Amino acid sequence: GHWKFELPEAPERARLLARLVPPAMTLAPDVDLSVLARRHELSGGQLRNAMLKAMRRTLRHDIAARVISAADLEAALVAVAG
């Protein structure tokens, strides 16, 4: 059988993304989690993978960086969605 599971609604995705920000990092002021959550219909696991990808992208630009940009988070969400 094929499992069908409900994706979290946009407000829940936004809350998940906020909770998934790595402890040592923050989101850039231009990151709008509600807009990103509406734009990307992903599961909790995918959101977690996207945040980790965004963190790695951020550190690739600058190993001392602590701020995840909107561009890096958006790119990570797109990449995870495949």
Side-chain angles (χ1 to χ4, degrees), residues 26-63:
T26 58
L27 297 174
D30 65 333
V31 173
D32 187 332
L33 291 179
S34 62
V35 168
L36 290 173
R38 279 197 303 274
R39 199 178 290 158
H40 301 279
E41 292 190 24
L42 300 171
S43 69
Q46 287 174 308
L47 294 173
R48 183 174 173 281
N49 290 343
M51 190 60 77
L52 291 172
K53 234 182 231 301
M55 179 186 73
R56 286 195 298 272
R57 290 177 71 94
T58 299
L59 295 173
R60 252 203 317 272
H61 303 309
D62 174 4
I63 196 66

Side-chain angles (χ1 to χ4, degrees), residues 21-26 65-67:
V21 177
M25 303 190 99
T26 58
R66 293 293 171 260
V67 180

